[in-house]
Amino acid sequence: MKFASALLLAGLATLLASANAQANKCRLSEKDFVGADFSPLKTACPNSGAGQACDKCMCAVASSFWPVLKSAGYSPAELQSMSRDQAINAISACLPLVLPKLSAAQVSLGSLMSLQNCKAMPSSCPGLQ
């Protein structure tokens, strides 16, 4: 799951930085978001792209999105086998569905975009091993 969360985070950060949506179909639906909690991102992801803020925010993103992806039928093996481009395309196709959820949780998109400035992925995230 460590690699899968890293792939998810890299794709999300790159995607949010590039507002260039691809013509893929989103595999997520409203039902996949039932019970999703993005509120931890509000405090875990300050407008900073350095040090522990990176690790804390990246882990919060992975922890918040994993139940949604799992509900949509993604498996850790599938996420691990995705190329970066495939992950970006998959997330890009889902932006219209994902962004309102983040906005409703008062998550700063600027703070998520700042993840692209992080030097490295966290070595692990609690609950995602």
Side-chain angles (χ1 to χ4, degrees), residues 41-111:
L41 300 179
K42 184 177 177 183
T43 54
C45 300
N47 278 321
S48 169
Q52 286 190 327
C54 285
D55 286 0
K56 187 176 178 182
C57 182
M58 287 182 182
C59 287
V61 169
S63 295
S64 294
F65 273 95
W66 175 239
V68 174
L69 294 172
K70 189 174 175 183
S71 176
Y74 283 96
S75 69
E78 182 178 7
L79 292 176
Q80 290 173 6
S81 69
M82 278 186 171
S83 70
R84 180 183 168 144
D85 286 344
Q86 288 172 318
I88 291 169
N89 289 342
I91 296 169
S92 179
C94 296
L95 272 183
L97 187 61
V98 172
L99 289 179
K101 312 283 189 265
L102 296 175
S103 180
Q106 299 179 336
V107 175
S108 164
L109 296 181
S111 65

